[in-house]
Amino acid sequence: MLRSTRPLLLPSTRRLSGPPSRPTLTRRLCALSWLLALLVVLTSSDALAQPSYWSFEAGQTRPLALDGTRLYALNTPDDRLEIYDVSGEAPVHLASVPVGLSPVAVAVESSSRVWVVNHLSDSVSIVDVASDPPRVVRTLLVGDEPSDVVFAGPGRRRAFVTAAHRGQNHPVPRGDYDVPGIGRADVWVFDADALGAPLGGTPLTIVQLFGDRPRALAVSPDGLRVYAAVFMSGNRTTTINEGLVCDGGALATCDTGPGGLPAPNTSSDGSPAPETGLIVRFDPTRARWIDELDRDWSSAVRFELPDEDVFEIDAGASPPAEVAAYASVGTVSFAMVVSPATGALFVSNTEAHNEVRFEGPGTYVHAQGLRGDGPYTVRGHLHESRITVIERGAVTPHRLNPHLDYGRPAAEGDRDRSIATPLGMAVSSDGSTLYLAAYGSSAIAMLDTAALTAGRVDSSADRLIRLGEAPLGPTGLVLDEGRARLFVLTRFDDSIATVDLASRSVLGRTRMHTPEPASTIQGRPMLYDARFTSSNGEASCGSCHVFGDLDGLAWDLGNPDGEVIPNRNPIGPVGGAIDIHPMKGPMTTQSLRGLADQGPLHWRGDRSGANASPPTDPLDSRAAFAQFNGAFEGLLGRDEGPLRPEEMQRFTEFVLGLTYPPNPIRQLDGTLRDDEARGRAIYLEREAIDTVATCNGCHVLDPSRGYFGSSGLTTFENEPQQFKVAHLRNAYQKVGMFGMAAAPFFVPFDNTPMGPQVRGFGFLHDGSTDTVFRFLHAGVFNFRSTAERRDVEAFVMAFDTTLAPIVGQEVTLDASSDASVEARLDLLLARARAPWTRSGAIETHECDLVAHGVVDGTLRGWLYAPSEDAFRADHASEASVTDAALRAIGRVGSITYTCAPPGSGVRMALDRDEDGALDGDERDAATDPASRPFIDIPSPALPARPTPDAGLSDAGSP
């Protein structure tokens, strides 16, 4: 609901308590002028239908930094750095600095400069915080989706930035997607005193690490070592292709492997399971790939998984270089911190147990005595929350919830003691206490580091500092030991909580302005809040759908207690409907991004409006997503049952608002490289490529209808099961597994061992196919040559997404700018003029080009109006500024230009709170340009816990 009063701690000295005052006559006139100006700025009849906010759900890595009495906080949804004075009882807002899109990390370089990492803009904003007002003075361009920044090396004057090994600003933009056995996790290193080329800077080096995508960084106490963690590094699991797992059960005699599927392999009514693949895990002690029956599948795996998770970099070397790697740290690593006293490295992470099959209660499995002491399913036991300690070369993981017994139903009070999704950390200066942000528990954990290192983890509720009754989602924290305070950024409500460490209580919350709609704010907790959505307090949908995306793994979430259901989804272009069996076999985790307009959900489309009661349109994405409600009970282990309809509705609206980022491989002007263009022609035009239709005949590409490889239809795939046609927007994210044994569905191809790789799962529903190139060798395809397959693969890697490739890109123009900066600005302008059609056939432009700079001591904003070929200013009465005139202003001071998502430019450049009064006019009138009423998050109300099922055993492994 909307707040009618302000919070205890005020985010702005201009913001008064009580509801907003009635607009003055001046403001009414400004609003009228602004409405008239809209007629000029907006260039199509459908432009008003454009959203002003796009939800990317970028995960914050280091959202807070403290420098003396100044607190720097990232306002990720509003794309700003907020600056506070924390010398008094409550933080006082000093300034708000526009940076790049989706800022996720901030670090202090010096008393005058801080660096902000912009996840969606593939950039780093260098902010001069000594000037009045603070402003961006330089923009560095890095690889795809940068995540963190630290300073280390000689005098701590080297900046280290993590980014994926791809992206339009990378020396190898396509990220070597067809090269096996290389690292795909980069650390860019810059000299803070000599940034290099005016356009984007010049790194001293790019340290290429043997991982898939990096995230967190940490620095040794002496500043000579930097540690970099791979985000989703896996856990040495992979899928054996279904063609190598024979029919007939585990005892069958097979020519291609050690056997068939372990029991149970029927549904509850005795219907035999379809042939599926099988997840296996590498046992480093015996150097074997084994399944749950301890059978050796090594002959069916043609690659190795070193599972290197954390890397040590010599920050003082010239250039900096990797000197050590640490394996088996965790499946998903979120954050790292070093003890200033001992140098021990702490890594917050989760460890997945995807080698355990099945969801549901496990009644059938237990009754048949098929699993010994259990666990019988992964119900409530998906990703375990952990802290891994790395000290003197030893890697020691520690479970944060040792009180949980996964072999039995959750006990009363379990959820109140649990830590879910461990994110940011801080260590006291004496090294004795570790503070941990429990994102899914809305709490801060205080852990004794000596006990933790020794393997003793306090699992009492007393270790937790609760931040409030409502779910708040803490992501990052910083210590102010001089005043015994802890500042915590809470992402669900975009606030800063001030915690008194002496009393372990929250003194107050400072709310930041947010452009997010109520559906996003109130629906987000349903993804992450483990206290509400599970009974053990550790499991949530966000455990696997990390930050609304995926975890890079496959899971066998079949249900032996389930029943076969009919497939009521539309079929096309060939084949008839095949019933959907509950024993589905391994399926890779799919992203929650971009589900709108996708119709039935899951790989097989089993989450469908057609299965609702009463049945509804199977192509209705909202009706389809509502069918996930049963997963809260069957998968997360919520004893209280499914969510209430209004709660599920909030979750649905939040998820359907998530958007895919622009494709980082596609060229910024949207054009295709030669091989990509040839591949596109084959994809769209080559008839009967699979003996029936063009590629596009099934994998429909039609952005005007929101189709990016899938139109929601199901079709025959020459598989034992029937699958919904998959979209292709995130193929580039799945690169890194190379090597595959010969399988029946593929024409003869190279099956030699490929050595170490960075991923255990690739393409297709079960991740068993290593590359798109391999997939295109399936016997059903009619390609004329290897070159054609390579061309289609190139096009798939550069596939269209909802937003144009230019969205997020930026450049800073100043006195040192050269021709390369001017050329980049020319490119941004050209793309801001280029037409763009998105879902719903709304005609707009590829981006809204916004500009920010300081003029006469005031932060100003401008928005490019293509119809005028000029920039509108943030004063309603001010005439538009020509491109040449604005560039002249930038060369005197500095102006940063950013290609914002279509429809968001007015909010980002001219009217921050979207109240109709322009920001400049509000500042002149001494009113707040960021005065949108706050939206509260409802406090969860759990029903009474039912009596646990007496049919389940109390036995189980911890």
Side-chain angles (χ1 to χ4, degrees), residues 158 160 189 205-209 224-226 311-324:
R158 289 176 173 174
F160 295 75
V189 186
T205 188
I206 301 175
V207 183
Q208 191 171 343
L209 307 174
L224 297 181
R225 289 289 188 269
V226 167
F311 298 84
E312 185 175 337
I313 298 171
D314 183 347
S318 296
E322 174 195 339
V323 293

Side-chain angles (χ1 to χ4, degrees), residues 549-615:
D549 199 14
L550 38 77
D551 59 4
L553 304 174
W555 298 77
D556 185 344
L557 299 180
N559 184 0
D561 296 301
E563 298 178 351
V564 176
I565 62 173
N567 185 351
R568 300 186 179 94
N569 295 322
I571 309 296
V574 295
I578 300 175
D579 288 345
I580 298 174
H581 199 283
M583 301 288 282
K584 57 188 174 182
M587 305 274 177
T588 56
T589 304
Q590 292 183 301
S591 178
L592 296 184
R593 299 166 170 174
L595 296 188
D597 305 312
Q598 296 305 296
L601 303 175
H602 268 174
W603 281 102
R604 301 179 303 167
D606 51 86
R607 304 296 188 183
S608 170
N611 297 328
S613 182

Side-chain angles (χ1 to χ4, degrees), residues 212-213 231-232 332 383 542-553 588-593 660 730 733-734 759:
D212 184 25
R213 179 158 63 100
F231 186 18
M232 301 176 190
V332 180
H383 283 252
S543 298
C544 298
H545 296 286
V546 183
F547 299 129
D549 199 14
L550 38 77
D551 59 4
L553 304 174
T588 56
T589 304
Q590 292 183 301
S591 178
L592 296 184
R593 299 166 170 174
Y660 267 103
N730 64 350
Q733 289 183 280
K734 300 182 179 184
R759 286 177 53 87

Side-chain angles (χ1 to χ4, degrees), residues 9 69 84-92 480 483 485 487 498 507:
L9 300 183
T69 61
Y84 297 89
D85 179 353
V86 292
S87 60
E89 289 301 311
V92 176
D480 183 356
R483 297 187 303 145
R485 289 188 174 182
F487 296 105
T498 302
L507 298 178

Side-chain angles (χ1 to χ4, degrees), residues 852-894:
H852 290 98
V854 174
V855 177
D856 296 331
T858 302
L859 177 66
R860 300 294 308 276
W862 298 269
L863 171 63
Y864 181 68
S867 61
E868 293 184 59
D869 192 24
F871 287 83
R872 296 287 305 177
D874 58 3
H875 285 92
S877 60
E878 188 173 319
S880 297
V881 181
T882 66
D883 169 37
L886 193 57
R887 293 195 196 205
I889 295 173
R891 294 189 194 97
V892 173
S894 66

Side-chain angles (χ1 to χ4, degrees), residues 746-770:
F746 298 95
V747 298
F749 186 45
D750 183 7
N751 301 112
T752 58
M754 299 299 290
Q757 305 298 325
V758 300
R759 286 177 53 87
F761 299 93
F763 298 87
L764 242 61
H765 63 281
D766 59 4
S768 66
T769 303
D770 57 347

